Amino acid sequence: MLKIESLNTYYGDSHILRGVDVQLPASTSLGLLGRNGMGKTTLIRSLMGYVRPASGQVLFEGRNVTGWVPEKMARLGIGYVPEGRGIFPNLSVRENLVMSERAGPDGRRDWTFDRVMSTFPRLSERLSHGGQQLSGGEQQMLSIGRALMTNPRLMILDEATEGLAPLVVAEIWRVIAQIRATGISTLIVDRDWRKVLGHTDQAVVMEKGRIVLASDSAGMLAEPGPVAALLGV
């Protein structure tokens, strides 16, 4: 579904991504691991069109989409849950969800408003609340629910559990497992590398803008030494 080839991205004179290669087959889940500042978010922003790579290419289902603007990437069927959540604070919970509601690229409407409500019961109790009135955990639920309302074929979750209470974190991972079980491809970034490996098929580790380790997630969990050494844990 997604193939990134020899991607190089700069911020000014700073060379951030250095020849990155990543593949994500359809209906699979990929974990993107690495310490802070190693290029994970830059990789996501480069493939989503927020940052234009200097060289290399991004392929989605065989189509070269390198440098496409974010709204065009979204129309391909990519749901993005950014670090920081990115909800509209002046819109109500209902408005945040309904404004993004649409069929997927293949016409499917598996994720309806009612299904999102059943997935996140806490949001159903706060439909008239403004986005700024929600707790951090509720905002994250709203961000994920809003992405699901686009009926994506690929979900990208960047630090979906950062700064949340343990009970909310457990709820977010439950939903991620549910999303994965529906056949939606997922790309997951999170600091809890063991959880990431437990909820993905494959994983890669980034260091200084390069992929330095790539393997199946189960294998990394079974022999965690190399991953732990690269992550400094």
Side-chain angles (χ1 to χ4, degrees):
M1 174 173 282
L2 178 68
K3 188 175 184 180
I4 297 169
E5 296 182 327
S6 303
L7 210 64
N8 288 274
T9 298
Y10 291 77
Y11 286 143
D13 294 329
S14 299
H15 194 175
I16 307 300
L17 300 184
R18 299 171 177 265
V20 173
D21 294 289
V22 174
Q23 294 190 49
L24 175 61
S27 301
T28 63
S29 185
L30 176 72
L32 180 58
L33 302 172
R35 290 177 286 122
N36 288 344
M38 293 300 162
K40 304 185 300 298
T41 295
T42 299
L43 177 58
I44 291 174
R45 291 178 61 81
S46 296
L47 74 89
M48 284 298 298
Y50 291 98
V51 180
R52 187 171 184 87
S55 62
Q57 59 182 4
V58 178
L59 304 174
F60 189 79
E61 297 185 322
R63 181 190 302 183
N64 190 340
V65 297
T66 312
W68 281 26
V69 293
E71 55 264 34
K72 286 187 69 175
M73 296 300 290
R75 292 191 194 106
L76 291 174
I78 302 177
Y80 180 33
V81 180
E83 185 178 15
R85 298 155 195 154
I87 64 169
F88 296 101
N90 295 325
L91 297 182
S92 69
V93 169
R94 182 186 294 277
E95 290 167 339
N96 265 278
L97 293 171
V98 172
M99 60 82 63
S100 66
E101 183 177 9
R102 65 175 183 269
D106 54 2
R108 295 174 62 183
R109 291 183 178 270
D110 295 338
W111 285 92
T112 62
F113 181 84
D114 288 341
R115 185 173 182 181
V116 171
M117 290 296 95
S118 65
T119 302
F120 297 107
R122 290 172 66 171
L123 293 183
S124 67
E125 302 169 359
R126 292 160 172 77
L127 288 177
S128 61
H129 287 56
Q132 79 279 7
Q133 295 177 290
L134 303 180
S135 67
E138 291 163 351
Q139 289 182 3
Q140 192 61 274
M141 294 175 189
L142 180 57
S143 184
I144 295 173
R146 186 182 59 185
L148 288 170
M149 291 283 283
T150 68
N151 284 281
R153 302 184 59 217
L154 167 64
M155 279 276 285
I156 299 175
L157 300 109
D158 191 1
E159 300 289 0
T161 68
E162 184 177 11
L164 302 181
L167 286 177
V168 178
V169 169
E171 178 71 2
I172 297 297
W173 283 115
R174 180 191 66 79
V175 172
I176 289 173
Q178 182 178 341
I179 294 169
R180 183 185 176 200
T182 65
I184 298 174
S185 298
T186 53
L187 174 59
I188 302 172
V189 176
D190 198 272
R191 295 183 185 182
D192 189 339
W193 60 275
R194 291 185 182 275
K195 284 289 188 183
V196 171
L197 294 178
H199 286 78
T200 54
D201 302 297
Q202 303 284 327
V204 297
V205 181
M206 294 190 71
E207 186 174 57
K208 297 180 180 178
R210 293 185 172 91
I211 302 296
V212 293
L213 183 64
S215 183
D216 65 283
S217 299
M220 287 188 180
L221 268 179
E223 297 184 14
V227 181
L230 287 168
L231 299 180
V233 294

PDB file of all heavy atoms in Angstrom, residues 27-66:
ATOM      1  N   SER A  27      -3.451  -3.830   4.739  1.00  0.00           N
ATOM      2  CA  SER A  27      -4.031  -4.578   5.861  1.00  0.00           C
ATOM      3  C   SER A  27      -2.988  -5.066   6.861  1.00  0.00           C
ATOM      4  O   SER A  27      -3.173  -6.089   7.514  1.00  0.00           O
ATOM      5  CB  SER A  27      -4.859  -5.764   5.347  1.00  0.00           C
ATOM      6  OG  SER A  27      -5.905  -5.312   4.508  1.00  0.00           O
ATOM      7  N   THR A  28      -1.895  -4.328   6.983  1.00  0.00           N
ATOM      8  CA  THR A  28      -0.887  -4.655   7.991  1.00  0.00           C
ATOM      9  C   THR A  28      -0.609  -3.414   8.840  1.00  0.00           C
ATOM     10  O   THR A  28      -1.054  -2.313   8.525  1.00  0.00           O
ATOM     11  CB  THR A  28       0.421  -5.153   7.360  1.00  0.00           C
ATOM     12  OG1 THR A  28       1.001  -4.103   6.567  1.00  0.00           O
ATOM     13  CG2 THR A  28       0.188  -6.377   6.494  1.00  0.00           C
ATOM     14  N   SER A  29       0.145  -3.631   9.907  1.00  0.00           N
ATOM     15  CA  SER A  29       0.460  -2.550  10.827  1.00  0.00           C
ATOM     16  C   SER A  29       1.976  -2.445  11.002  1.00  0.00           C
ATOM     17  O   SER A  29       2.660  -3.455  11.150  1.00  0.00           O
ATOM     18  CB  SER A  29      -0.203  -2.817  12.188  1.00  0.00           C
ATOM     19  OG  SER A  29      -0.011  -1.734  13.058  1.00  0.00           O
ATOM     20  N   LEU A  30       2.468  -1.202  10.953  1.00  0.00           N
ATOM     21  CA  LEU A  30       3.902  -0.948  11.058  1.00  0.00           C
ATOM     22  C   LEU A  30       4.173  -0.024  12.230  1.00  0.00           C
ATOM     23  O   LEU A  30       3.537   1.026  12.367  1.00  0.00           O
ATOM     24  CB  LEU A  30       4.422  -0.317   9.766  1.00  0.00           C
ATOM     25  CG  LEU A  30       5.895   0.091   9.753  1.00  0.00           C
ATOM     26  CD1 LEU A  30       6.792  -1.148   9.700  1.00  0.00           C
ATOM     27  CD2 LEU A  30       6.198   1.004   8.566  1.00  0.00           C
ATOM     28  N   GLY A  31       5.129  -0.394  13.073  1.00  0.00           N
ATOM     29  CA  GLY A  31       5.568   0.455  14.166  1.00  0.00           C
ATOM     30  C   GLY A  31       6.788   1.256  13.751  1.00  0.00           C
ATOM     31  O   GLY A  31       7.711   0.711  13.143  1.00  0.00           O
ATOM     32  N   LEU A  32       6.786   2.543  14.066  1.00  0.00           N
ATOM     33  CA  LEU A  32       7.913   3.425  13.759  1.00  0.00           C
ATOM     34  C   LEU A  32       8.512   3.870  15.085  1.00  0.00           C
ATOM     35  O   LEU A  32       7.892   4.638  15.823  1.00  0.00           O
ATOM     36  CB  LEU A  32       7.428   4.613  12.927  1.00  0.00           C
ATOM     37  CG  LEU A  32       8.453   5.657  12.489  1.00  0.00           C
ATOM     38  CD1 LEU A  32       9.565   5.020  11.675  1.00  0.00           C
ATOM     39  CD2 LEU A  32       7.758   6.768  11.690  1.00  0.00           C
ATOM     40  N   LEU A  33       9.698   3.363  15.387  1.00  0.00           N
ATOM     41  CA  LEU A  33      10.321   3.576  16.689  1.00  0.00           C
ATOM     42  C   LEU A  33      11.585   4.418  16.557  1.00  0.00           C
ATOM     43  O   LEU A  33      12.200   4.493  15.493  1.00  0.00           O
ATOM     44  CB  LEU A  33      10.670   2.233  17.334  1.00  0.00           C
ATOM     45  CG  LEU A  33       9.510   1.250  17.554  1.00  0.00           C
ATOM     46  CD1 LEU A  33      10.060  -0.102  18.012  1.00  0.00           C
ATOM     47  CD2 LEU A  33       8.536   1.811  18.584  1.00  0.00           C
ATOM     48  N   GLY A  34      11.989   5.006  17.658  1.00  0.00           N
ATOM     49  CA  GLY A  34      13.209   5.799  17.691  1.00  0.00           C
ATOM     50  C   GLY A  34      13.136   6.806  18.823  1.00  0.00           C
ATOM     51  O   GLY A  34      12.058   7.198  19.263  1.00  0.00           O
ATOM     52  N   ARG A  35      14.305   7.230  19.297  1.00  0.00           N
ATOM     53  CA  ARG A  35      14.347   8.250  20.345  1.00  0.00           C
ATOM     54  C   ARG A  35      13.887   9.602  19.780  1.00  0.00           C
ATOM     55  O   ARG A  35      13.760   9.777  18.570  1.00  0.00           O
ATOM     56  CB  ARG A  35      15.762   8.358  20.922  1.00  0.00           C
ATOM     57  CG  ARG A  35      16.182   7.145  21.757  1.00  0.00           C
ATOM     58  CD  ARG A  35      17.610   7.244  22.260  1.00  0.00           C
ATOM     59  NE  ARG A  35      18.567   7.012  21.189  1.00  0.00           N
ATOM     60  CZ  ARG A  35      19.506   7.880  20.821  1.00  0.00           C
ATOM     61  NH1 ARG A  35      19.597   9.053  21.434  1.00  0.00           N
ATOM     62  NH2 ARG A  35      20.345   7.596  19.851  1.00  0.00           N
ATOM     63  N   ASN A  36      13.641  10.549  20.656  1.00  0.00           N
ATOM     64  CA  ASN A  36      13.219  11.882  20.216  1.00  0.00           C
ATOM     65  C   ASN A  36      14.268  12.502  19.299  1.00  0.00           C
ATOM     66  O   ASN A  36      15.473  12.367  19.523  1.00  0.00           O
ATOM     67  CB  ASN A  36      13.000  12.802  21.425  1.00  0.00           C
ATOM     68  CG  ASN A  36      11.753  12.451  22.203  1.00  0.00           C
ATOM     69  OD1 ASN A  36      10.885  11.738  21.718  1.00  0.00           O
ATOM     70  ND2 ASN A  36      11.653  12.962  23.421  1.00  0.00           N
ATOM     71  N   GLY A  37      13.800  13.171  18.265  1.00  0.00           N
ATOM     72  CA  GLY A  37      14.712  13.874  17.374  1.00  0.00           C
ATOM     73  C   GLY A  37      15.373  13.027  16.321  1.00  0.00           C
ATOM     74  O   GLY A  37      16.294  13.494  15.649  1.00  0.00           O
ATOM     75  N   MET A  38      14.911  11.789  16.133  1.00  0.00           N
ATOM     76  CA  MET A  38      15.544  10.893  15.176  1.00  0.00           C
ATOM     77  C   MET A  38      14.884  10.915  13.795  1.00  0.00           C
ATOM     78  O   MET A  38      15.339  10.231  12.882  1.00  0.00           O
ATOM     79  CB  MET A  38      15.563   9.455  15.724  1.00  0.00           C
ATOM     80  CG  MET A  38      16.466   9.290  16.931  1.00  0.00           C
ATOM     81  SD  MET A  38      18.173   9.710  16.545  1.00  0.00           S
ATOM     82  CE  MET A  38      18.855   9.955  18.192  1.00  0.00           C
ATOM     83  N   GLY A  39      13.781  11.662  13.656  1.00  0.00           N
ATOM     84  CA  GLY A  39      13.191  11.833  12.339  1.00  0.00           C
ATOM     85  C   GLY A  39      11.838  11.195  12.126  1.00  0.00           C
ATOM     86  O   GLY A  39      11.313  11.218  11.001  1.00  0.00           O
ATOM     87  N   LYS A  40      11.234  10.647  13.166  1.00  0.00           N
ATOM     88  CA  LYS A  40       9.959   9.935  12.990  1.00  0.00           C
ATOM     89  C   LYS A  40       8.848  10.864  12.500  1.00  0.00           C
ATOM     90  O   LYS A  40       8.167  10.572  11.509  1.00  0.00           O
ATOM     91  CB  LYS A  40       9.545   9.261  14.308  1.00  0.00           C
ATOM     92  CG  LYS A  40      10.570   8.308  14.893  1.00  0.00           C
ATOM     93  CD  LYS A  40      10.046   7.587  16.111  1.00  0.00           C
ATOM     94  CE  LYS A  40       9.653   8.500  17.255  1.00  0.00           C
ATOM     95  NZ  LYS A  40      10.794   9.290  17.785  1.00  0.00           N
ATOM     96  N   THR A  41       8.646  11.971  13.208  1.00  0.00           N
ATOM     97  CA  THR A  41       7.588  12.888  12.809  1.00  0.00           C
ATOM     98  C   THR A  41       7.900  13.540  11.470  1.00  0.00           C
ATOM     99  O   THR A  41       6.993  13.765  10.652  1.00  0.00           O
ATOM    100  CB  THR A  41       7.368  13.953  13.902  1.00  0.00           C
ATOM    101  OG1 THR A  41       6.874  13.317  15.095  1.00  0.00           O
ATOM    102  CG2 THR A  41       6.346  14.992  13.470  1.00  0.00           C
ATOM    103  N   THR A  42       9.170  13.820  11.205  1.00  0.00           N
ATOM    104  CA  THR A  42       9.540  14.380   9.902  1.00  0.00           C
ATOM    105  C   THR A  42       9.207  13.400   8.786  1.00  0.00           C
ATOM    106  O   THR A  42       8.758  13.803   7.704  1.00  0.00           O
ATOM    107  CB  THR A  42      11.036  14.725   9.871  1.00  0.00           C
ATOM    108  OG1 THR A  42      11.318  15.708  10.869  1.00  0.00           O
ATOM    109  CG2 THR A  42      11.444  15.278   8.510  1.00  0.00           C
ATOM    110  N   LEU A  43       9.400  12.119   9.030  1.00  0.00           N
ATOM    111  CA  LEU A  43       9.042  11.117   8.028  1.00  0.00           C
ATOM    112  C   LEU A  43       7.540  11.151   7.751  1.00  0.00           C
ATOM    113  O   LEU A  43       7.104  11.144   6.586  1.00  0.00           O
ATOM    114  CB  LEU A  43       9.473   9.726   8.494  1.00  0.00           C
ATOM    115  CG  LEU A  43       9.091   8.559   7.583  1.00  0.00           C
ATOM    116  CD1 LEU A  43       9.668   8.737   6.186  1.00  0.00           C
ATOM    117  CD2 LEU A  43       9.558   7.225   8.192  1.00  0.00           C
ATOM    118  N   ILE A  44       6.744  11.210   8.806  1.00  0.00           N
ATOM    119  CA  ILE A  44       5.292  11.269   8.629  1.00  0.00           C
ATOM    120  C   ILE A  44       4.891  12.550   7.906  1.00  0.00           C
ATOM    121  O   ILE A  44       4.071  12.532   6.975  1.00  0.00           O
ATOM    122  CB  ILE A  44       4.591  11.159   9.994  1.00  0.00           C
ATOM    123  CG1 ILE A  44       4.764   9.756  10.561  1.00  0.00           C
ATOM    124  CG2 ILE A  44       3.106  11.510   9.867  1.00  0.00           C
ATOM    125  CD1 ILE A  44       4.231   9.591  11.960  1.00  0.00           C
ATOM    126  N   ARG A  45       5.461  13.670   8.293  1.00  0.00           N
ATOM    127  CA  ARG A  45       5.126  14.940   7.662  1.00  0.00           C
ATOM    128  C   ARG A  45       5.572  14.973   6.200  1.00  0.00           C
ATOM    129  O   ARG A  45       4.926  15.608   5.363  1.00  0.00           O
ATOM    130  CB  ARG A  45       5.745  16.095   8.450  1.00  0.00           C
ATOM    131  CG  ARG A  45       5.097  16.303   9.822  1.00  0.00           C
ATOM    132  CD  ARG A  45       5.771  17.419  10.602  1.00  0.00           C
ATOM    133  NE  ARG A  45       5.679  18.701   9.927  1.00  0.00           N
ATOM    134  CZ  ARG A  45       4.624  19.501   9.958  1.00  0.00           C
ATOM    135  NH1 ARG A  45       3.544  19.139  10.657  1.00  0.00           N
ATOM    136  NH2 ARG A  45       4.631  20.646   9.332  1.00  0.00           N
ATOM    137  N   SER A  46       6.651  14.276   5.899  1.00  0.00           N
ATOM    138  CA  SER A  46       7.114  14.221   4.508  1.00  0.00           C
ATOM    139  C   SER A  46       6.182  13.393   3.642  1.00  0.00           C
ATOM    140  O   SER A  46       5.879  13.758   2.504  1.00  0.00           O
ATOM    141  CB  SER A  46       8.540  13.638   4.449  1.00  0.00           C
ATOM    142  OG  SER A  46       9.469  14.468   5.102  1.00  0.00           O
ATOM    143  N   LEU A  47       5.706  12.264   4.166  1.00  0.00           N
ATOM    144  CA  LEU A  47       4.823  11.427   3.354  1.00  0.00           C
ATOM    145  C   LEU A  47       3.426  12.037   3.261  1.00  0.00           C
ATOM    146  O   LEU A  47       2.717  11.817   2.277  1.00  0.00           O
ATOM    147  CB  LEU A  47       4.782   9.993   3.882  1.00  0.00           C
ATOM    148  CG  LEU A  47       4.017   9.666   5.159  1.00  0.00           C
ATOM    149  CD1 LEU A  47       2.565   9.316   4.855  1.00  0.00           C
ATOM    150  CD2 LEU A  47       4.676   8.489   5.882  1.00  0.00           C
ATOM    151  N   MET A  48       3.031  12.837   4.264  1.00  0.00           N
ATOM    152  CA  MET A  48       1.707  13.460   4.241  1.00  0.00           C
ATOM    153  C   MET A  48       1.672  14.776   3.461  1.00  0.00           C
ATOM    154  O   MET A  48       0.610  15.339   3.242  1.00  0.00           O
ATOM    155  CB  MET A  48       1.214  13.719   5.668  1.00  0.00           C
ATOM    156  CG  MET A  48       0.722  12.469   6.388  1.00  0.00           C
ATOM    157  SD  MET A  48      -0.694  11.697   5.570  1.00  0.00           S
ATOM    158  CE  MET A  48      -1.928  12.990   5.671  1.00  0.00           C
ATOM    159  N   GLY A  49       2.830  15.282   3.057  1.00  0.00           N
ATOM    160  CA  GLY A  49       2.861  16.490   2.252  1.00  0.00           C
ATOM    161  C   GLY A  49       3.023  17.785   3.014  1.00  0.00           C
ATOM    162  O   GLY A  49       2.964  18.867   2.417  1.00  0.00           O
ATOM    163  N   TYR A  50       3.235  17.726   4.316  1.00  0.00           N
ATOM    164  CA  TYR A  50       3.469  18.940   5.081  1.00  0.00           C
ATOM    165  C   TYR A  50       4.886  19.468   4.871  1.00  0.00           C
ATOM    166  O   TYR A  50       5.145  20.663   5.041  1.00  0.00           O
ATOM    167  CB  TYR A  50       3.246  18.687   6.577  1.00  0.00           C
ATOM    168  CG  TYR A  50       1.801  18.438   6.937  1.00  0.00           C
ATOM    169  CD1 TYR A  50       1.317  17.146   7.096  1.00  0.00           C
ATOM    170  CD2 TYR A  50       0.908  19.491   7.111  1.00  0.00           C
ATOM    171  CE1 TYR A  50      -0.015  16.906   7.408  1.00  0.00           C
ATOM    172  CE2 TYR A  50      -0.423  19.267   7.425  1.00  0.00           C
ATOM    173  CZ  TYR A  50      -0.875  17.972   7.572  1.00  0.00           C
ATOM    174  OH  TYR A  50      -2.195  17.734   7.874  1.00  0.00           O
ATOM    175  N   VAL A  51       5.799  18.571   4.529  1.00  0.00           N
ATOM    176  CA  VAL A  51       7.174  18.930   4.214  1.00  0.00           C
ATOM    177  C   VAL A  51       7.512  18.268   2.881  1.00  0.00           C
ATOM    178  O   VAL A  51       7.208  17.081   2.681  1.00  0.00           O
ATOM    179  CB  VAL A  51       8.156  18.435   5.307  1.00  0.00           C
ATOM    180  CG1 VAL A  51       9.585  18.815   4.953  1.00  0.00           C
ATOM    181  CG2 VAL A  51       7.771  18.993   6.663  1.00  0.00           C
ATOM    182  N   ARG A  52       8.135  19.009   1.979  1.00  0.00           N
ATOM    183  CA  ARG A  52       8.476  18.442   0.675  1.00  0.00           C
ATOM    184  C   ARG A  52       9.876  17.839   0.723  1.00  0.00           C
ATOM    185  O   ARG A  52      10.844  18.530   1.048  1.00  0.00           O
ATOM    186  CB  ARG A  52       8.402  19.487  -0.430  1.00  0.00           C
ATOM    187  CG  ARG A  52       8.586  18.870  -1.811  1.00  0.00           C
ATOM    188  CD  ARG A  52       8.304  19.859  -2.931  1.00  0.00           C
ATOM    189  NE  ARG A  52       8.403  19.194  -4.219  1.00  0.00           N
ATOM    190  CZ  ARG A  52       7.419  18.548  -4.814  1.00  0.00           C
ATOM    191  NH1 ARG A  52       6.227  18.503  -4.232  1.00  0.00           N
ATOM    192  NH2 ARG A  52       7.585  17.963  -5.978  1.00  0.00           N
ATOM    193  N   PRO A  53      10.012  16.551   0.412  1.00  0.00           N
ATOM    194  CA  PRO A  53      11.338  15.927   0.403  1.00  0.00           C
ATOM    195  C   PRO A  53      12.234  16.534  -0.671  1.00  0.00           C
ATOM    196  O   PRO A  53      11.750  16.992  -1.723  1.00  0.00           O
ATOM    197  CB  PRO A  53      11.041  14.453   0.094  1.00  0.00           C
ATOM    198  CG  PRO A  53       9.582  14.267   0.367  1.00  0.00           C
ATOM    199  CD  PRO A  53       8.946  15.593   0.095  1.00  0.00           C
ATOM    200  N   ALA A  54      13.531  16.505  -0.418  1.00  0.00           N
ATOM    201  CA  ALA A  54      14.487  16.987  -1.412  1.00  0.00           C
ATOM    202  C   ALA A  54      14.697  15.959  -2.512  1.00  0.00           C
ATOM    203  O   ALA A  54      14.946  16.312  -3.667  1.00  0.00           O
ATOM    204  CB  ALA A  54      15.820  17.318  -0.739  1.00  0.00           C
ATOM    205  N   SER A  55      14.609  14.689  -2.156  1.00  0.00           N
ATOM    206  CA  SER A  55      14.751  13.617  -3.141  1.00  0.00           C
ATOM    207  C   SER A  55      14.103  12.354  -2.598  1.00  0.00           C
ATOM    208  O   SER A  55      13.723  12.280  -1.431  1.00  0.00           O
ATOM    209  CB  SER A  55      16.229  13.362  -3.469  1.00  0.00           C
ATOM    210  OG  SER A  55      16.939  12.932  -2.312  1.00  0.00           O
ATOM    211  N   GLY A  56      14.012  11.340  -3.469  1.00  0.00           N
ATOM    212  CA  GLY A  56      13.312  10.116  -3.109  1.00  0.00           C
ATOM    213  C   GLY A  56      11.851  10.225  -3.488  1.00  0.00           C
ATOM    214  O   GLY A  56      11.408  11.227  -4.075  1.00  0.00           O
ATOM    215  N   GLN A  57      11.081   9.184  -3.169  1.00  0.00           N
ATOM    216  CA  GLN A  57       9.678   9.217  -3.544  1.00  0.00           C
ATOM    217  C   GLN A  57       8.796   8.483  -2.542  1.00  0.00           C
ATOM    218  O   GLN A  57       9.249   7.592  -1.822  1.00  0.00           O
ATOM    219  CB  GLN A  57       9.478   8.645  -4.948  1.00  0.00           C
ATOM    220  CG  GLN A  57       9.933   7.224  -5.141  1.00  0.00           C
ATOM    221  CD  GLN A  57       9.736   6.771  -6.596  1.00  0.00           C
ATOM    222  OE1 GLN A  57       9.335   7.544  -7.467  1.00  0.00           O
ATOM    223  NE2 GLN A  57      10.012   5.504  -6.862  1.00  0.00           N
ATOM    224  N   VAL A  58       7.537   8.887  -2.544  1.00  0.00           N
ATOM    225  CA  VAL A  58       6.482   8.250  -1.756  1.00  0.00           C
ATOM    226  C   VAL A  58       5.489   7.659  -2.746  1.00  0.00           C
ATOM    227  O   VAL A  58       4.953   8.370  -3.594  1.00  0.00           O
ATOM    228  CB  VAL A  58       5.769   9.260  -0.832  1.00  0.00           C
ATOM    229  CG1 VAL A  58       4.639   8.575  -0.066  1.00  0.00           C
ATOM    230  CG2 VAL A  58       6.758   9.899   0.138  1.00  0.00           C
ATOM    231  N   LEU A  59       5.257   6.348  -2.642  1.00  0.00           N
ATOM    232  CA  LEU A  59       4.313   5.663  -3.510  1.00  0.00           C
ATOM    233  C   LEU A  59       3.138   5.170  -2.685  1.00  0.00           C
ATOM    234  O   LEU A  59       3.330   4.569  -1.623  1.00  0.00           O
ATOM    235  CB  LEU A  59       4.976   4.474  -4.213  1.00  0.00           C
ATOM    236  CG  LEU A  59       6.225   4.763  -5.043  1.00  0.00           C
ATOM    237  CD1 LEU A  59       6.839   3.460  -5.554  1.00  0.00           C
ATOM    238  CD2 LEU A  59       5.893   5.676  -6.213  1.00  0.00           C
ATOM    239  N   PHE A  60       1.925   5.429  -3.164  1.00  0.00           N
ATOM    240  CA  PHE A  60       0.725   4.912  -2.517  1.00  0.00           C
ATOM    241  C   PHE A  60      -0.012   4.075  -3.550  1.00  0.00           C
ATOM    242  O   PHE A  60      -0.476   4.603  -4.563  1.00  0.00           O
ATOM    243  CB  PHE A  60      -0.164   6.047  -1.999  1.00  0.00           C
ATOM    244  CG  PHE A  60      -1.304   5.577  -1.134  1.00  0.00           C
ATOM    245  CD1 PHE A  60      -1.083   5.243   0.194  1.00  0.00           C
ATOM    246  CD2 PHE A  60      -2.582   5.445  -1.638  1.00  0.00           C
ATOM    247  CE1 PHE A  60      -2.117   4.807   1.002  1.00  0.00           C
ATOM    248  CE2 PHE A  60      -3.631   5.009  -0.844  1.00  0.00           C
ATOM    249  CZ  PHE A  60      -3.392   4.677   0.482  1.00  0.00           C
ATOM    250  N   GLU A  61      -0.078   2.777  -3.291  1.00  0.00           N
ATOM    251  CA  GLU A  61      -0.670   1.827  -4.229  1.00  0.00           C
ATOM    252  C   GLU A  61      -0.066   1.969  -5.623  1.00  0.00           C
ATOM    253  O   GLU A  61      -0.755   1.942  -6.638  1.00  0.00           O
ATOM    254  CB  GLU A  61      -2.193   1.987  -4.269  1.00  0.00           C
ATOM    255  CG  GLU A  61      -2.832   1.667  -2.925  1.00  0.00           C
ATOM    256  CD  GLU A  61      -4.347   1.697  -2.971  1.00  0.00           C
ATOM    257  OE1 GLU A  61      -4.904   2.573  -3.677  1.00  0.00           O
ATOM    258  OE2 GLU A  61      -4.965   0.843  -2.320  1.00  0.00           O
ATOM    259  N   GLY A  62       1.258   2.153  -5.639  1.00  0.00           N
ATOM    260  CA  GLY A  62       1.978   2.230  -6.894  1.00  0.00           C
ATOM    261  C   GLY A  62       2.006   3.596  -7.544  1.00  0.00           C
ATOM    262  O   GLY A  62       2.720   3.801  -8.538  1.00  0.00           O
ATOM    263  N   ARG A  63       1.258   4.549  -7.026  1.00  0.00           N
ATOM    264  CA  ARG A  63       1.202   5.892  -7.601  1.00  0.00           C
ATOM    265  C   ARG A  63       2.201   6.798  -6.889  1.00  0.00           C
ATOM    266  O   ARG A  63       2.262   6.822  -5.662  1.00  0.00           O
ATOM    267  CB  ARG A  63      -0.204   6.463  -7.439  1.00  0.00           C
ATOM    268  CG  ARG A  63      -0.386   7.861  -8.027  1.00  0.00           C
ATOM    269  CD  ARG A  63      -1.713   8.472  -7.634  1.00  0.00           C
ATOM    270  NE  ARG A  63      -2.845   7.666  -8.039  1.00  0.00           N
ATOM    271  CZ  ARG A  63      -4.115   8.039  -7.849  1.00  0.00           C
ATOM    272  NH1 ARG A  63      -4.374   9.190  -7.248  1.00  0.00           N
ATOM    273  NH2 ARG A  63      -5.096   7.264  -8.244  1.00  0.00           N
ATOM    274  N   ASN A  64       2.962   7.531  -7.668  1.00  0.00           N
ATOM    275  CA  ASN A  64       3.933   8.461  -7.089  1.00  0.00           C
ATOM    276  C   ASN A  64       3.188   9.684  -6.563  1.00  0.00           C
ATOM    277  O   ASN A  64       2.636  10.469  -7.332  1.00  0.00           O
ATOM    278  CB  ASN A  64       4.963   8.875  -8.142  1.00  0.00           C
ATOM    279  CG  ASN A  64       6.127   9.654  -7.523  1.00  0.00           C
ATOM    280  OD1 ASN A  64       6.021  10.196  -6.435  1.00  0.00           O
ATOM    281  ND2 ASN A  64       7.243   9.694  -8.230  1.00  0.00           N
ATOM    282  N   VAL A  65       3.161   9.833  -5.230  1.00  0.00           N
ATOM    283  CA  VAL A  65       2.437  10.948  -4.600  1.00  0.00           C
ATOM    284  C   VAL A  65       3.397  11.869  -3.848  1.00  0.00           C
ATOM    285  O   VAL A  65       2.979  12.626  -2.988  1.00  0.00           O
ATOM    286  CB  VAL A  65       1.340  10.418  -3.647  1.00  0.00           C
ATOM    287  CG1 VAL A  65       0.289   9.636  -4.419  1.00  0.00           C
ATOM    288  CG2 VAL A  65       1.943   9.537  -2.533  1.00  0.00           C
ATOM    289  N   THR A  66       4.677  11.805  -4.199  1.00  0.00           N
ATOM    290  CA  THR A  66       5.686  12.612  -3.522  1.00  0.00           C
ATOM    291  C   THR A  66       5.339  14.093  -3.606  1.00  0.00           C
ATOM    292  O   THR A  66       5.100  14.629  -4.697  1.00  0.00           O
ATOM    293  CB  THR A  66       7.066  12.383  -4.150  1.00  0.00           C
ATOM    294  OG1 THR A  66       7.305  10.986  -4.290  1.00  0.00           O
ATOM    295  CG2 THR A  66       8.163  13.011  -3.297  1.00  0.00           C
TER     296      THR A  66
END
